[in-house]
Amino acid sequence: MEPAFGEVNQLGGVFVNGRPLPNAIRLRIVELAQLGIRPCDISRQLRVSHGCVSKILARYNETGSILPGAIGGSKPRVTTPTVVKHIRTYKQRDPGIFAWEIRDRLLADGVCDKFNLPSVSSISRILRNKIGSLAPQGAYDAGKAAPHAPPQPALPYNHLYSYPASKVPTPPGMPALPGHMAMHRIWPSSHSVTDILGIRSITEQQSKSCCACVSRAGEEGQEELQGARARASQARRTADVLEKVKRDPA
DNA sequence: TCCGTGACGGTTGAC
DNA sequence: AGGTCAACCGTCACG
């Protein structure tokens, strides 16, 4: 069962072991740092360990994102991007192809050897989860950008520890920056949490501009179009996350 | 006193 | 369905 209350650290702050700090606190840490407050003072003020403050600020400086990384999961052992790509190709060339036929072709084409050849059920899963969503409309978002995140994710933990967009993978076209929560280092002039959290307007603009990208991208090939769609979707998700934090800063 | 770093115990989710 | 494993988390202690 999920703990209703966290533990208390040396500074008297409450935390839940293994779980990220709430977005509002992460945001506050970055905000205070932007104001020139020393990390040690941020640590004391927010009752968060200085190691944590250090980590969050380092991550922010490196990626521009305040969000924690994706927790859990494991590296694909057989369903590597190369394998998925080949399966997608086979399926596109022959939509009626069977999973066992794909399996044979992966082996015959040297994509896999007998040790890392996916099972028929694995191939079926790939077809269902990754290839099956190749439908033109919203294919990227539904099948790849958020393979297991519902459009309006239920709070996975409790309101204090929700971070709904945390599992959104970085789509192609946004390689270095986990842009799902990137702040772009643009900060409102006001210093209150409310105003800091009011950066929705920024992300809305980002979303709109990305939508414009989508409309322009039609001539630039399917890859570009998908990337632009993904960015627009990312920006909208960011706005949603921030709105949620804004409504419930705790 | 401040801060970077790594060990630690914990959670999570794809496989 | 349930176990495994590797990713992540924040705290703490050390230098």
Side-chain angles (χ1 to χ4, degrees), chain A residues 138-158:
Chain A
Y140 186 86
D141 288 343
K144 199 169 181 183
H148 36 61
Q152 291 291 333
L155 296 179
Y157 195 64
N158 59 37

Side-chain angles (χ1 to χ4, degrees), chain A residues 44-250:
Chain A
R44 279 191 287 264
Q45 184 174 331
L46 300 181
R47 297 184 178 184
V48 172
S49 69
H50 89 266
C52 181
V53 171
S54 178
K55 274 187 187 178
I56 289 174
L57 290 177
R59 174 195 281 268
Y60 175 74
N61 287 330
E62 189 175 334
T63 69
S65 169
I66 66 157
L67 276 191
I71 301 175
S74 58
K75 283 185 177 176
R77 289 188 277 268
V78 294
T79 59
T80 61
T82 304
V83 170
V84 173
K85 183 180 152 195
H86 278 84
I87 294 175
R88 179 185 285 116
T89 303
Y90 298 151
K91 190 70 177 174
Q92 281 171 344
R93 286 183 192 162
D94 178 8
I97 193 170
F98 292 113
W100 62 266
E101 290 176 303
I102 291 175
R103 191 168 186 267
D104 288 348
R105 289 203 58 177
L106 286 171
L107 193 58
D109 292 351
V111 179
C112 304
D113 55 34
K114 61 181 179 180
F115 298 107
N116 65 354
L117 188 64
S119 65
V120 171
S121 57
S122 288
I123 293 170
S124 295
R125 186 171 57 239
I126 293 169
L127 290 170
R128 185 173 61 248
N129 295 342
K130 303 184 186 233
I131 315 296
S133 57
L134 279 174
Q137 182 59 39
Y140 186 86
D141 288 343
K144 199 169 181 183
H148 36 61
Q152 291 291 333
L155 296 179
Y157 195 64
N158 59 37
H159 71 283
L160 197 65
Y161 285 90
S162 61
Y163 55 108
S166 67
K167 293 297 287 184
V168 177
T170 303
M174 305 181 69
L177 188 88
H180 53 280
M181 200 56 180
M183 292 312 185
H184 293 258
R185 292 177 174 79
I186 299 171
W187 295 88
S189 55
S190 171
H191 296 153
S192 72
V193 173
T194 303
D195 288 328
I196 288 293
L197 294 175
I199 67 175
R200 181 182 177 99
S201 58
I202 297 172
T203 55
E204 277 177 343
Q205 288 166 14
Q206 185 185 1
S207 174
K208 285 173 185 169
S209 68
C210 287
C211 288
C213 290
V214 170
S215 63
R216 283 197 307 272
E219 303 164 0
E220 301 173 7
Q222 202 63 20
E223 290 290 319
E224 286 293 324
L225 179 61
Q226 288 187 343
R229 278 196 182 127
R231 284 189 289 277
S233 175
Q234 286 278 7
R236 280 192 292 272
R237 270 196 297 276
T238 300
D240 288 342
V241 170
L242 289 170
E243 180 64 20
K244 192 164 286 186
V245 172
K246 184 179 176 181
R247 280 199 301 269
D248 189 4

